[in-house]
Amino acid sequence: MSIKSIDEIALLGKKVFVRVDFNVPMKNGEISDDTRIRAALPTFDKILSSGGAIIAASHLGRPKNGPDPAFGLAPVAKRLGELVKAKVILSPEVVGETTSKLAAALKPGEILLLENVRFDAGETKNNPDLSKAFASLADAYVNDAFGACHRAHSSTAGIAEHFSSGEKAAGYLMLKEVNSFDRVLKNPARPFVAILGGAKVSDKIAVIENLLSKVDKLIIGGAMAFTFLKAQGFSIGDSLVEDDKIDLARSLVATAKARGVELLLPIDHLIAADLADDLKPEATKDANVPAGMKGLDIGPATVELYKKALAGAATVVWNGPMGVFENLALSGGTFAVAEAVASCGGYTVVGGGDSVSAVKKSGKAASISHVSTGGGASLELLEGKILPGMAALEG
Ligand code: ADP
Ligand code: MG
């Protein structure tokens, strides 16, 4: 793959279309977390300090029927203006006469932010006319929206066709993500341990299949473990299970064995009859869950087993919590694994929306080598897919 870095393309005097992921969480019209805006600043600073101008584009939420003030980028433009030492102009539209005029008048060192790209129905359809309209505004294209690059949309994919290889590049955030996943998935340092958890086996089948051809050990936790345990004849009580995936679980276990991958399943659990706020879960004495009870976190013996399996790992990739970590009484397994990953001494990557929030909650995020900013995009990379927004930058 040959994706250029923003350091390798000409920026002086250029108008650079930058696709960013400013899909920030909002509460009552206010930005509740501006991490995603801050994450784009290194790329913005690079373009501005190199004598370029920025035409920035992002989606926010999922507006259904065209322009909708509830999904407008005005709060984002305001916050961006507070964070960069540059003039930020918000266009009232995605593309059209006003945007074209504002882009034409844009001077080096200035930023024009387009309105929410999903106000245009063409965006999510990768509409060629919209892609062309985006491209006509600028001399170069930079994609720094890792969280959106698993989608083939006009601003993430179609637009790139209009730029030659010397005119398009990945921004710093995108490069960090791409390099981190490359380091794990291509030629990883060994031993390489993957940890998979979360709610459903069905969400992660492609990830398990892809990782089984790469890892030395595969640790399984979370609700998905119960489909594997049932396949092996354990009782699982009322734990979450996907009965239509039991045969598949059995064949994945066989594949692991045939490839010499050590597959670890929970040997005990924290159980309760139901979720509750002031839960006092009990530990089981083995991998079985009694009738009427649900397995909601890995148990203490499993924590020890998984800690041992992670000690000395040279590469670790983790997706999916070990239990219902949102409930403090059921967060212990996930937090213990976070601690074991953080202290293993190897190169460690965590991806997935809930996994990342679990790692942040555990207080160990700073000791993980890479905490991905893209949930869906990181899962698709772990599945071994080529992401459209990355493919579009090649050439
Ligand atoms: P990610 O977003 O990181 O890919 P998932 O969405 O696959 O992760 O899974 C996260 C969810 O799995 C969490 O909401 C968590 O409560 C749930 N979960 C984990 N273990 C269990 C369990 N034993 N029973 C029920 N839900 C579980
Ligand atoms: Mg999730």
Side-chain angles (χ1 to χ4, degrees), residues 312-335:
T315 307
V316 176
V317 66
W318 179 13
N319 166 270
M322 296 291 100
V324 185
F325 73 96
E326 296 90 339
N327 186 315
L328 194 63
L330 302 167
S331 62
T334 301
F335 290 179

Side-chain angles (χ1 to χ4, degrees), residues 197-200 203-204 222-223 226 240 295-297 319-326 351-356 379:
K200 291 183 178 163
D203 286 346
K204 311 282 167 83
F226 295 105
L240 272 187
L296 298 169
D297 193 10
N319 166 270
M322 296 291 100
V324 185
F325 73 96
E326 296 90 339
D354 293 298
S355 311
V356 167
L379 270 184

Side-chain angles (χ1 to χ4, degrees), residues 69-355:
F71 296 98
L73 289 186
V76 172
K78 183 164 170 277
R79 181 62 58 88
L80 178 62
E82 291 160 4
L83 295 171
V84 288
K85 290 180 214 68
K87 183 171 162 192
V88 178
I89 306 153
L90 175 65
S91 176
E93 60 182 13
V94 183
V95 291
E97 245 174 71
T98 306
T99 289
S100 297
K101 275 191 196 141
L102 289 169
L106 199 66
K107 295 194 219 32
E110 293 180 344
I111 300 172
L112 171 64
L113 177 64
L114 306 186
E115 229 338 332
N116 189 341
V117 288
R118 290 197 185 161
F119 286 179
D120 191 310
E123 165 66 3
T124 55
K125 301 190 175 87
N126 201 13
N127 177 289
D129 293 331
L130 179 60
S131 303
K132 200 171 163 190
F134 281 145
S136 72
L137 302 171
D139 310 302
Y141 173 67
V142 167
N143 191 346
D144 212 16
F146 176 73
C149 79
H150 57 312
R151 312 259 186 237
H153 291 173
S154 282
S155 67
T156 59
I159 179 176
E161 290 166 24
H162 299 274
F163 296 94
S164 68
S165 75
E167 297 167 338
K168 56 185 169 189
Y172 293 125
L173 177 63
M174 177 80 104
L175 286 168
K176 185 167 181 276
E177 294 277 2
V178 171
N179 292 337
S180 301
F181 282 96
D182 268 2
R183 182 159 169 189
V184 166
L185 296 171
K186 298 179 184 160
N187 211 9
R190 294 187 181 279
F192 177 11
V193 184
I195 310 162
L196 291 177
K200 291 183 178 163
V201 183
S202 50
D203 286 346
K204 311 282 167 83
I205 296 166
V207 176
I208 301 174
E209 282 173 343
N210 186 42
L211 290 178
L212 274 180
S213 66
K214 299 177 190 295
V215 299
D216 301 298
K217 290 181 201 174
L218 177 60
I219 293 176
I220 292 186
M224 76 152 84
F226 295 105
T227 301
F228 284 88
L229 289 172
K230 189 166 178 184
Q232 309 210 325
F234 291 97
S235 25
I236 59 156
D238 289 342
S239 307
L240 272 187
V241 65
E242 288 168 277
D243 281 315
D244 60 333
K245 295 291 177 289
I246 288 182
D247 286 341
L248 177 89
R250 207 173 279 129
S251 86
L252 290 170
V253 171
T255 305
K257 200 166 180 196
R259 298 208 176 130
V261 174
E262 188 186 342
L263 189 129
L264 290 97
L265 289 167
I267 52 173
D268 64 348
H269 313 278
L270 292 191
I271 56 168
D274 258 310
L275 284 171
D277 285 344
D278 55 349
L279 201 67
K280 299 224 166 28
E282 306 162 35
T284 58
K285 55 183 190 317
D286 57 29
N288 293 294
V289 177
M293 301 296 267
K294 294 185 174 94
L296 298 169
D297 193 10
I298 53 174
T302 306
V303 166
E304 289 313 311
L305 178 74
Y306 289 3
K307 273 188 183 166
K308 256 191 218 129
L310 283 161
T315 307
V316 176
V317 66
W318 179 13
N319 166 270
M322 296 291 100
V324 185
F325 73 96
E326 296 90 339
N327 186 315
L328 194 63
L330 302 167
S331 62
T334 301
F335 290 179
V337 166
E339 159 72 36
V341 172
S343 61
C344 77
Y347 186 74
T348 54
V349 174
V350 178
D354 293 298
S355 311

